[in-house]
Amino acid sequence: MADTEAPRAPREGFSPTPSRGKFTLHNGPSYRATAPGDMRSGLWVLDRHCNGMGFLHGGMLSAFADSALAWAVWSATGKMSVTIRLTLEFMEIAREGEWIEAHTDVSSVDGEFVHVNARIVKEDGGLAARATAVFRTVRRKAD
């Protein structure tokens, strides 16, 4: 799918992620699950997300995972956060035009530190990556 084409609609049960700045606008669009308690994030892999070999660039996958994990922290705590540590294991490639989802879970909240995990799953069920992270919450709280 070329970037000049009209954006594809998100998968059922997802809606566009609100922008949080120029980086997100440039690297999106990404999507979030709409059901209460569902912390999944989704992304259509676009041409601009791909490396010179034609599949999802590791840096883009890292940015997507970071955003999805931050959303899980927000969902669990109602607080904004910053990434302290992010570790990824790249498993299978995702190609242009594929839908990927981050399936996240919060493993623990220790004061201002939140430990989170994600499985980045391809539409065929393959595992594109696994991510683990530690975020530090900041003072601003949800309204």
Side-chain angles (χ1 to χ4, degrees):
M1 171 171 64
D3 285 348
T4 57
E5 294 178 31
R8 292 176 76 172
R11 292 287 174 138
E12 185 174 337
F14 286 82
S15 64
T17 301
S19 172
R20 290 184 36 204
K22 293 177 183 178
F23 184 83
T24 304
L25 283 173
H26 178 73
N27 290 302
S30 63
Y31 305 92
R32 291 185 184 153
T34 56
D38 189 343
M39 295 185 294
R40 290 177 300 150
S41 294
L43 177 79
W44 286 111
V45 178
L46 303 176
D47 176 68
R48 69 173 174 267
H49 300 148
C50 293
N51 60 24
M53 293 178 279
F55 53 85
L56 183 61
H57 190 284
M60 181 61 207
L61 182 58
S62 297
F64 172 68
D66 186 56
S67 177
L69 291 161
W71 171 241
V73 172
W74 175 268
S75 296
T77 66
K79 296 180 182 177
M80 296 183 74
S81 61
V82 294
T83 310
I84 300 297
R85 183 183 70 222
L86 174 64
T87 304
L88 269 85
E89 297 176 85
F90 300 98
M91 311 301 284
E92 294 181 15
I93 63 172
R95 298 200 180 278
E96 181 182 350
E98 282 190 276
W99 172 260
I100 59 172
E101 287 182 9
H103 296 231
T104 60
D105 68 270
V106 174
S107 58
S108 68
V109 178
D110 182 18
E112 62 189 14
F113 296 98
V114 183
H115 299 258
V116 287
N117 307 291
R119 295 176 65 250
I120 312 299
V121 181
K122 300 183 340 170
E123 60 188 317
D124 68 3
L127 183 63
R130 288 187 296 235
T132 59
V134 178
F135 283 77
R136 181 177 179 198
T137 57
V138 293
R139 293 184 182 176
R140 183 174 170 191
K141 295 184 178 184
D143 296 330

